[in-house]
Amino acid sequence: MLVLLPPSEGKASSGRGAPLKPETLSLPGLTPARETVLAELVELCAGDEEKAREVLGLSEGLRGEVAKNAELRTAGARPAGEIYTGVLYDALDLASLDPAARKRAARWLLVFSGLWGAVRVSDRIPSYRCSMGVKLPALGALGAFWRAPMAEVLPEAAGNGLVLDLRSAAYAAPWKPKGEVAGRTASVRVLHAPTRKVVSHFNKATKGRIVRSLLTSGSAPGSPAELVEALRDLGYVVEAEAPAKAGKPWSLDVLVEEIH
């Protein structure tokens, strides 16, 4: 199973670990593209601070993120699962998983990123600020930049099993499963049951809980239909219909009564 996650805007500090080694990251086919984005981002942030802040869409209060990006090559690196914070990752709470669940997390979870393309939670990266919506001067929109390298690398990473897509729209743009892979892909919306509306906070929190439930239960559904049954067995209220045509992803709605 492969679980596709968005990153978090907020991130923990890099800490004092050894610096980034791009060649050690998972999905080595993305290394040349990572090096390209990294070089452009570091150059931007080491130059005109105001221009960098404008390009990255940072408020005055986040001015320090520019200097942090300028030092990405020498900053300490930590596992990505420790760098990403926020509502989804708080609910997922990787640090509290038992050893077996942590091993599953290292195999199953793939976090998409404007800077790295996609990384495993065990990959060591520094803290950074660069969303997928950024348009770097020499590269343009990162969502478009990543499409070609992702198309080369991600189908193989998807293997032969279920692909559970929990990404937000911006992070889904660089790679959308196609053909046979799409047919075993399930995307999930979390709806407030009384209103049938998506509410950002509990949407993220519930997605984090769903992933944690799958990791801790050891459930490894092999298809979207099996995922529906697994989630129902875990206590979730799920509505789903098989797509009308083969080779199309499933859409699942998880209904939640309370917003928390």
Side-chain angles (χ1 to χ4, degrees):
M1 180 162 67
L2 187 67
V3 182
L4 312 180
L5 297 175
S8 59
E9 285 299 311
K11 298 173 183 70
S13 63
S14 294
R16 298 181 179 180
L20 168 74
K21 294 182 178 180
E23 69 276 9
T24 67
L25 298 179
S26 301
L27 309 181
L30 297 179
T31 299
R34 289 169 176 151
E35 292 279 14
T36 298
V37 179
L38 178 62
E40 175 71 7
L41 181 62
V42 169
E43 181 179 356
L44 171 71
C45 293
D48 185 330
E49 184 179 86
E50 289 304 318
K51 178 182 178 181
R53 194 160 66 86
E54 179 181 353
V55 168
L56 296 174
L58 301 177
S59 66
E60 176 66 30
L62 294 173
R63 181 181 292 273
E65 299 293 291
V66 174
K68 183 169 71 175
N69 280 350
E71 298 176 353
L72 283 172
R73 293 192 183 277
T74 56
R78 298 166 58 186
E82 297 177 14
I83 291 290
Y84 294 117
T85 59
V87 175
L88 188 154
Y89 292 91
D90 285 347
L92 176 52
D93 195 9
L94 288 168
S96 69
L97 293 175
D98 63 45
R102 288 188 189 183
K103 288 181 180 179
R104 294 184 197 104
R107 293 196 310 270
W108 293 358
L109 308 188
L110 196 63
V111 184
F112 279 64
S113 162
L115 175 53
W116 313 116
V119 293
R120 304 280 186 184
V121 292
S122 55
D123 285 333
R124 298 180 65 83
I125 59 172
S127 184
Y128 67 96
R129 193 77 175 214
C130 184
S131 71
M132 192 65 79
V134 163
K135 295 181 180 180
L136 291 177
L139 302 180
L142 290 176
F145 171 83
W146 281 110
R147 283 177 193 150
M150 290 284 190
E152 291 291 328
V153 173
L154 267 294
E156 181 178 353
N160 297 313
L162 171 70
V163 178
L164 173 55
D165 192 351
L166 301 179
R167 297 172 296 169
S168 55
Y171 288 92
W175 184 64
K176 296 181 179 180
K178 296 180 180 180
E180 184 270 335
V181 179
R184 47 187 169 85
T185 296
S187 61
V188 173
R189 294 192 307 173
V190 180
L191 302 180
H192 183 215
T195 64
R196 311 292 294 190
K197 293 181 179 180
V198 174
V199 180
S200 178
H201 179 89
F202 84 87
N203 173 56
K204 294 176 182 177
T206 303
K207 286 179 177 179
R209 294 187 190 106
I210 286 171
V211 177
R212 183 179 177 87
S213 296
L214 291 169
L215 291 171
T216 56
S217 70
S219 176
S223 68
E226 290 179 11
L227 173 65
V228 172
E229 294 307 312
L231 292 179
R232 288 172 175 165
D233 289 344
L234 290 167
Y236 294 94
V237 178
V238 183
E239 294 180 351
E241 290 185 7
K245 296 182 179 180
K248 298 292 183 181
W250 287 51
S251 295
L252 278 57
D253 288 340
V254 175
L255 307 184
V256 180
E257 290 289 338
E258 297 181 0
I259 299 177
H260 60 87

